[in-house]
Amino acid sequence: MSDKNQLDQITIANGGIDRRTLIRGATGALLAVTAFGPAACARNSGSGATQVRKLDFQIRWLKTVAFGGWWAGIENGYFTEEGIDLNVIAGGPNLDVQQVVAGGGVPIGEGITDRIIRGKIEQDLQFRIIGCLYQKTPAVFMSLGQNNWTKPADLVGKRIGTTPEGVPLIEALLANAGLPRKDWKFVQSGFDPSPLVQGEIDFFQGFRTDQGVALELQDMEMNYITYEQFGFDPYDAPIFVLEETLQKERDLLVRFMRATIKGWEWVVANPAKAAELTVDKYGTDELQLEQQKLESEFQVDDVTSSDTDENGLFYTREKRWQDMIDFLADAGSLPKSIPATDIFTPEIQAEAMDGASSLLEV
């Protein structure tokens, strides 16, 4: 069964028996085996055998080149070198990664920045972010070029395709721009931007590097309204864990981060090869190589910055985290602000880099 078909079977219950209860009740002690996995003997190093542990990693979307660094890390043996047998679990529009991690379904997730912050403040979920892939978010509001909608005010009164979890952020963006926060129509959407082409929605909230590229390859002229136009400059694709995992599995997290950084350094140096690897071996069905190559090339600018040039990929700064949290609180999207250090830690990424600015010679 392809990842796409599997998504039809995934639902999240918000009331009654929620996913946390289902995960714990249905699988019980099995999670201790599958999430971190049983140790197995691997290569000999010196006098003894190295232990390889299976590690489950939940991504928020389908298996595309947007996660190419993890494919490269597996393919090139970076995770094996760190004693990790990485199992990347596909997500999708109906999967809440934050809830899966909170419920103990997986130890490490790739989530959505504002939802992790919101879970920490509103539900006291003990999340800690240990690094972020995107220095600049590729998330945008896209529309057909013929409409000439290019500024935040153009969203007012329009039909916007997004997920239910995306609603609070849209309201916060509008409020911060001095626009009516609820003067727009929510239309639930998933991965496919075809409702935009068919005229069922006016805007689609998605990735410029993904759905935007796919539409442009169909010779469609597109316009994009970025989060920066609203005064919001978030890190994106955060890697996060529970506080308990951070305390008990610190060495494992450092090794995971080190292999992850190596994988993404390889992608930055080899974007076309990363696309080929995704389409040929690791990606979901029906991926188009041309689109994946363009997405891989475009995302290089999003994952790199002057900060990462100096401190390595996945590096983040406390001040920018604080600005993000304060933005959401000031816009009324959060009941309060919290210190940035309550939600993120730079230590895992720093330990993985060990003072270097890069880990591969590519």
Side-chain angles (χ1 to χ4, degrees), residues 174-210:
L174 291 172
N176 190 72
L179 301 167
R181 63 189 305 131
K182 295 186 179 295
D183 191 1
W184 59 284
K185 182 178 180 181
F186 164 66
V187 180
Q188 185 161 344
S189 65
F191 179 80
D192 187 357
S194 61
L196 182 65
V197 180
Q198 296 164 359
E200 298 172 4
I201 56 177
D202 301 307
F203 285 94
F204 180 83
Q205 186 183 30
F207 274 16
R208 161 72 178 84
T209 51
D210 192 328

Side-chain angles (χ1 to χ4, degrees), residues 240-253:
F240 72 110
V241 299
L242 291 176
E243 186 71 39
E244 181 180 10
T245 304
L246 180 63
Q247 298 303 320
K248 293 183 177 180
E249 298 287 349
R250 187 182 187 93
D251 177 69
L252 178 65
L253 295 179

